[in-house]
């Protein structure tokens, strides 16, 4: 494990993906998220969070934080995600300016993947039946 962490840190130094992003099981752009927060763009960071993680509030609370185990900086990513999730609760789900689709999509299964798929399709103006 120590060798893997060292290899990830070396890649980080040479402009490759950051160790925290590499360790993320859902491939979330942790580095981009933190850059947006550092720039003071909370809404932009929240948008990245909601696009990268379909259910950001749920993922934030259930994640076992593999990014924290490989991050040499010790950043509390969970607290940053919670702040963005609080903002999302006040702004509502993402909506896209697209015309109403003339199709109904059936999603078979109401597990986390089925609900994520249904949510993304509904945001793009499809009629969705789960």
């Amino acid at each position: 494990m120590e060798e893997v962490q060292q290899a990830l840190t070396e890649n980080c130094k040479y402009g490759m993906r950051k160790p925290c992003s590499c360790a993320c099981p859902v491939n979330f752009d942790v580095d981009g998220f933190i850059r947006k927060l550092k720039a003071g763009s909370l809404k932009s960071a929240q948008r990245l969070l909601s696009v990268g993680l379909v259910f950001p509030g749920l993922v934030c609370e259930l994640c076992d934080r593999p990014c924290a185990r490989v991050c040499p900086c010790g950043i509390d990513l969970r607290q940053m995600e919670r702040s963005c999730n609080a903002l999302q609760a006040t702004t509502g789900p993402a909506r896209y300016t697209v015309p109403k689709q003339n199709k109904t999509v059936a999603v078979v299964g109401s597990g986390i993947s089925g609900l994520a798929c249904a949510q993304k399709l509904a945001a793009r103006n499809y009629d969705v039946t789960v």
Side-chain angles (χ1 to χ4, degrees):
M1 177 68 178
E2 201 170 304
E3 295 166 355
V4 172
Q5 183 175 355
Q6 185 176 3
L8 290 172
T9 304
E10 288 299 316
N11 286 341
C12 179
K13 290 178 188 174
Y14 297 108
M16 304 293 280
R17 290 181 61 221
K18 303 288 188 230
C20 47
S21 292
C22 292
C24 181
V26 294
N27 203 26
F28 180 63
D29 181 11
V30 178
D31 188 44
F33 177 69
I34 292 171
R35 268 192 316 239
K36 290 181 185 303
L37 288 175
K38 279 184 178 178
S41 182
L42 188 61
K43 284 190 178 192
S44 182
Q46 181 272 326
R47 193 173 310 115
L48 184 64
L49 188 67
S50 65
V51 168
L53 309 171
V54 177
F55 300 112
L58 187 63
V59 170
C60 171
E61 297 304 322
L62 296 179
C63 181
D64 66 348
R65 298 174 24 173
C67 56
R69 290 191 290 273
V70 297
C71 178
C73 303
I75 293 173
D76 187 1
L77 189 62
R78 180 172 283 162
Q79 190 57 42
M80 289 188 248
E81 290 172 345
R82 284 178 176 158
S83 298
C84 285
N85 288 330
L87 175 67
Q88 183 181 13
T90 61
T91 60
R95 286 280 171 207
Y96 301 93
T97 310
V98 293
K100 181 77 172 158
Q101 305 298 321
N102 294 326
K103 297 177 182 169
T104 299
V105 178
V107 176
V108 179
S110 60
I112 194 83
S113 297
L115 293 176
C117 180
Q119 190 269 338
K120 289 288 187 181
L121 289 167
R124 287 169 175 79
N125 279 335
Y126 282 93
D127 287 326
V128 180
T129 303
V130 178

